[in-house]
Amino acid sequence: MEESFDIEIPNFILGKEIGRGGMARVFIGEQLEPKRPVAIKIVTPQGNDPKILEDLQKEGDTVAQFSHPNIVTVFSCGVIEQNYYLAMEILSGGDLKKKIEEGITELEAFNIMVDMAKALEHAHKRGTLHRDIKPENILFHEDGQAVLVDFGIAKAQNTVSEFTRVGAVVGTPHYMSPERALGKEIDERSDLYALGVVLYEMLIGKKVFEGSDTFAISYAHVHEPVPDLPEEKAKYQTLLNKLLAKNPDDRFQTATQLVAQLKKYLRRLKPITDTTHSFAPLPDLAAKKKSSPLPFIITGVIVVVAVLVGVWFMNQQAAIEINQTDLTTEQQIEMSDKLLAAESQFRLGNVAMAEQLYESVLVDYDCNNEEAGNRMKTINKAKLDQIMAACEP
């Protein structure tokens, strides 16, 4: 018989329980104004600790300010009768744990990685670590878009929280970075390590390190080398080694760098359109009948000049389109649309929106796009330098 849960939350109606774990329970519910279905997570701390409730409220408020397609949308949060509640969008596409059990393709895995890296990029830029990246916290919309949820033990950087001190030792040890397992201070690179563990699990179907208990698993994260991928997936070993480096300094330093690298792998996994070109052959001068040397010299000079001009033009085109040869027709159209939209936003004075669009062009499509690069140099040169540092030569 299902245990009842008697709590009244203003402007919400609590429905059927759909999951629970630790101190939390999740219900299907309804928001009355504006009227919409929601998922409601309720956390009941042991002993109804008011400090933990206060920290949860602060952290809920932080996540509620996020606005990103790959981070769960929070509609409301608060404390009611010694319980913390958080009302959020319903994600009906299941979680990554189930998808891994069913089996996913490499293309699906890298699409999910890009979605999650972008989510972390958004959170990290706002000074918030997730601290509990794992397949159970990656849910999906019906269309397959991945969404990061459960910032319940998230920590705003440069803040002290009793709850996050508890959070430092909770969570699944399978996804803990070496520095976290050792109880050291962590930063955004710890989240990226956990995402690397998720990548291994998506590619192989099992966790990177197993053990009989928490200590054994933590020891492996600190001391054991990264396992070798099977031959058919060895092309991802370099990426995995960098994500799972024991020393944070040897990993990707930011989610932005990771997004740029993942996009290169993703492009290689997608079908590429035929971009071969045919060129007319150069005149066969040897076949011409030799006569006066002067016409021959003049003709040779003309041909050489023509060839040099042609080579210069081709090099100029290559500088502009260096990465576009890897793009499908659809991707090239998408990139053009984003460039037009970015220019329009820039001229309207919406610099932040323009920056996001230009960044998307450089990271998602062509890191050498001249138009986007010139604008980014004006808007945010530091970000442009970071993108170019991660750009494939």
Side-chain angles (χ1 to χ4, degrees):
M1 183 175 178
E2 187 175 292
E3 178 187 353
S4 63
F5 196 84
D6 186 18
I7 181 174
E8 292 186 6
I9 304 174
N11 198 37
F12 292 93
I13 296 175
L14 210 61
K16 179 182 177 182
E17 179 177 335
I18 58 173
R20 68 169 67 189
M23 298 181 292
R25 302 170 72 172
V26 181
F27 300 81
I28 290 293
E30 182 179 16
Q31 184 172 358
L32 301 178
E33 293 182 6
K35 196 174 184 65
R36 60 187 165 197
V38 295
I40 302 176
K41 178 180 178 179
I42 297 178
V43 181
T44 307
Q46 293 179 354
N48 296 324
D49 189 326
K51 185 66 173 91
I52 291 181
L53 289 170
E54 180 185 343
D55 289 335
L56 279 167
Q57 176 71 65
K58 290 178 182 177
E59 291 160 0
D61 288 339
T62 298
V63 179
Q65 294 175 35
F66 292 161
S67 178
H68 193 276
N70 301 119
I71 295 178
V72 64
T73 300
V74 173
F75 300 127
S76 177
C77 62
V79 176
I80 298 289
E81 301 173 12
Q82 287 76 53
N83 297 283
Y84 169 77
Y85 78 90
L86 183 142
M88 55 193 166
E89 64 178 317
I90 294 175
L91 298 164
S92 56
D95 65 24
L96 180 56
K97 181 180 179 182
K98 182 179 178 182
K99 287 187 181 292
I100 291 174
E101 290 171 353
E102 295 172 347
I104 59 177
T105 67
E106 292 175 17
L107 178 58
E108 288 172 328
F110 275 87
N111 274 320
I112 293 167
M113 284 291 292
V114 169
D115 283 347
M116 290 300 94
K118 287 182 175 180
L120 289 177
E121 178 184 37
H122 186 82
H124 291 169
K125 285 180 178 178
R126 285 149 185 82
T128 300
L129 308 180
H130 188 279
R131 298 168 63 90
D132 197 20
I133 304 294
K134 58 185 179 182
E136 293 90 332
N137 285 338
I138 299 172
L139 305 185
F140 297 89
H141 287 292
E142 286 187 353
D143 64 2
Q145 184 179 49
V147 179
L148 184 59
V149 304
D150 200 354
F151 282 75
I153 61 172
K155 178 182 177 182
Q157 291 178 336
N158 303 318
T159 65
V160 177
S161 162
E162 287 298 325
F163 184 62
T164 52
R165 276 206 284 269
V166 174
V169 294
V170 301
T172 308
H174 291 96
Y175 306 92
M176 285 186 183
S177 64
E179 60 272 24
R180 187 177 174 198
L182 291 169
K184 297 180 179 180
E185 287 293 320
I186 66 170
D187 56 28
E188 59 196 68
R189 296 171 296 180
S190 184
D191 277 346
L192 300 183
Y193 180 95
L195 191 56
V197 179
V198 172
L199 173 61
Y200 181 91
E201 195 168 339
M202 288 193 290
L203 292 174
I204 304 302
K206 63 180 182 180
K207 296 176 176 61
V208 64
F209 295 122
E210 293 284 8
S212 57
D213 54 32
T214 297
F215 176 80
I217 298 169
S218 299
Y219 181 92
H221 279 291
V222 174
H223 298 289
E224 294 295 328
V226 180
D228 290 334
L229 293 171
E231 184 178 352
E232 66 274 13
K233 297 183 181 178
K235 56 188 173 183
Y236 305 125
Q237 190 71 52
T238 300
L239 172 65
L240 193 68
N241 289 346
K242 191 171 181 67
L243 282 165
L244 298 182
K246 306 299 182 186
N247 187 339
D249 292 339
D250 295 331
R251 299 178 205 148
F252 293 98
Q253 298 302 290
T254 66
T256 300
Q257 290 181 359
L258 177 58
V259 169
Q261 192 64 35
L262 289 171
K263 285 294 182 182
K264 295 167 189 173
Y265 283 92
L266 193 57
R267 268 192 230 113
R268 294 164 190 159
L269 288 166
K270 290 184 177 179
I272 299 175
T273 54
D274 182 10
T275 55
T276 56
H277 301 279
S278 59
F279 299 94
L282 294 175
D284 186 1
L285 299 180
K288 292 188 177 182
K289 184 177 180 180
K290 184 176 180 180
S291 54
S292 171
L294 183 60
F296 178 81
I297 292 171
I298 293 173
T299 302
V301 169
I302 292 173
V303 170
V304 169
V305 171
V307 169
L308 290 175
V309 170
V311 169
W312 177 86
F313 178 76
M314 289 169 65
N315 285 338
Q316 294 301 307
Q317 289 297 104
I320 296 173
E321 301 177 357
I322 187 168
N323 280 346
Q324 292 189 35
T325 55
D326 287 338
L327 301 180
T328 65
T329 302
E330 180 182 359
Q331 288 172 328
Q332 291 184 34
I333 292 172
E334 289 173 358
M335 184 177 74
S336 296
D337 289 344
K338 287 199 174 187
L339 285 169
L340 289 172
E343 183 65 19
S344 174
Q345 293 295 329
F346 182 81
R347 292 183 180 279
L348 289 171
N350 300 328
V351 178
M353 180 59 72
E355 179 182 341
Q356 289 182 18
L357 290 165
Y358 283 126
E359 181 181 359
S360 176
V361 168
L362 293 169
V363 173
D364 298 347
Y365 300 95
D366 179 8
C367 62
N368 291 292
N369 184 274
E370 185 175 3
E371 180 182 345
N374 288 338
R375 281 298 192 205
M376 281 294 291
K377 187 182 295 184
T378 301
I379 297 171
N380 190 336
K381 187 175 185 303
K383 181 177 286 186
L384 175 63
D385 291 342
Q386 191 175 44
I387 292 171
M388 296 310 296
C391 179
E392 189 173 46

